[in-house]
Amino acid sequence: MPAFVSDADAMALALEQARAAGARGDVPVGAVVVHDGQIIAQAGNERELRHDPTAHAEVLALQAAAEVLGTWRLTGATLVVTLEPCPMCAGALLAARVQRVVFGAANTENGSCGTLYNLCVDPRLNHEVEVVHGVEAAASTALLGEFFATRRL
Amino acid sequence: MPAFVSDADAMALALEQARAAGARGDVPVGAVVVHDGQIIAQAGNERELRHDPTAHAEVLALQAAAEVLGTWRLTGATLVVTLEPCPMCAGALLAARVQRVVFGAANTENGSCGTLYNLCVDPRLNHEVEVVHGVEAAASTALLGEFFATRRL
């Protein structure tokens, strides 16, 4: 059995997914799902590729993880993502009963795990998600910066 | 060309989708997307059917609408749904740049279009969605009540 995957290892893979997304014209964001210490799913943003407003990296990674586990309840899972989730993706973490989210860069536009909202921690809701932030934030920000600089030329 | 579809007509169809979802063991919620006065997509909740935490009626209907229009930007579209959207689904409305959401029953558990949050109306975000509530609310509530009463026997 492979060694236990650290948050840093998972983030390195999420950054690879983000780079691949950017290379095909999607905003470079990548996500990985870790369960029982192993990576069980990974995805990059495919909004442009699929013409699908919901095809953010987090949603695709959660869908893939649910398929692997055969249940929509991703109890005990950690989602590692390069950019702080938007409202839809933070809501998807709740819907999937994810245990932890680890993100890189803060999302000043619509970040919903601490920046504009913290949907992950609200005692009125039926689930809470532990939030870890700032893992490889500079690498994530650099990828996004390069992407938008190129597109605005 | 068929006549312009009213919110009430669209809600009647959303209620049919909700009933079909309940009949197959999913929480009975249904959604319809109206664009240019016509119904272009409809879906019921398929969370249990697909074992997918993101397969709420709203997400499936938005995905289907994007496929019909060939773009993730559902500008000008109205989503009609039997129950007030959760954080994920309210976020999906923003992500898809939907113009209006019309819902039936208020969602006291995690409603995010006015009850616990109003993600649809926040000047900090890059998009706002007009919210209409209470259309056929009693019919939606009755369906949900019957569903949970049966399952708790």
Side-chain angles (χ1 to χ4, degrees):
Chain A
M1 192 174 176
F4 184 89
V5 174
S6 68
D7 289 348
D9 291 343
M11 187 61 84
L13 190 54
L15 282 164
E16 274 182 37
Q17 286 285 348
R19 268 180 219 108
R24 64 174 175 257
D26 263 297
V27 175
V29 180
V32 162
V33 177
V34 179
H35 184 262
D36 278 348
Q38 308 301 320
I39 287 164
I40 61 165
Q42 53 181 296
N45 177 21
E46 298 191 4
R47 183 179 65 172
E48 303 296 339
L49 184 69
R50 298 187 187 213
H51 306 301
D52 177 353
T54 70
H56 287 195
E58 300 94 316
V59 167
L60 298 179
L62 293 172
Q63 288 170 341
E67 200 168 335
V68 168
L69 297 177
T71 170
W72 60 263
R73 290 178 191 272
L74 306 184
T75 310
T78 294
L79 183 105
V80 179
V81 56
T82 57
L83 181 67
E84 181 184 358
C86 75
M88 173 177 70
C89 293
L93 297 171
L94 295 168
R97 312 290 193 265
V98 164
Q99 184 178 328
R100 286 171 79 229
V101 60
V102 177
F103 70 81
N107 178 345
T108 54
E109 281 188 20
N110 60 14
S112 297
C113 297
T115 297
L116 295 193
Y117 293 96
N118 194 345
L119 298 174
C120 289
V121 182
D122 181 341
R124 299 172 304 172
L125 299 172
N126 67 350
H127 183 72
E128 294 197 359
V129 182
E130 183 189 336
V131 179
V132 177
H133 61 88
V135 177
E136 289 280 11
S140 170
T141 301
L143 268 180
L144 289 160
E146 286 158 25
F147 180 80
F148 287 111
T150 309
R151 291 174 61 99
R152 284 170 188 154
L153 282 179
Chain B
M1 194 174 177
F4 184 89
V5 174
S6 68
D7 289 347
D9 291 343
M11 187 61 84
L13 190 54
L15 282 163
E16 275 182 38
Q17 287 285 347
R19 268 181 218 107
R24 64 173 174 256
D26 264 296
V27 176
V29 180
V32 162
V33 177
V34 179
H35 184 261
D36 278 348
Q38 308 301 320
I39 287 165
I40 61 165
Q42 53 182 295
N45 177 22
E46 296 191 4
R47 183 180 65 172
E48 304 295 340
L49 184 68
R50 298 188 186 211
H51 307 299
D52 177 352
T54 70
H56 288 194
E58 299 95 315
V59 166
L60 298 179
L62 293 173
Q63 288 170 342
E67 198 168 337
V68 168
L69 297 178
T71 171
W72 60 263
R73 291 179 190 272
L74 306 184
T75 310
T78 294
L79 182 105
V80 178
V81 56
T82 57
L83 181 67
E84 182 183 358
C86 76
M88 173 178 71
C89 293
L93 296 172
L94 294 169
R97 313 287 194 266
V98 164
Q99 183 178 330
R100 287 171 78 230
V101 60
V102 176
F103 70 81
N107 179 344
T108 54
E109 282 188 19
N110 60 14
S112 297
C113 297
T115 296
L116 295 193
Y117 293 97
N118 193 345
L119 299 173
C120 290
V121 182
D122 181 342
R124 300 172 303 173
L125 300 173
N126 67 351
H127 184 71
E128 295 197 358
V129 181
E130 183 189 335
V131 179
V132 177
H133 62 89
V135 176
E136 289 281 8
S140 170
T141 302
L143 268 178
L144 290 160
E146 286 160 24
F147 180 81
F148 286 110
T150 309
R151 291 173 61 100
R152 282 169 189 156
L153 280 180

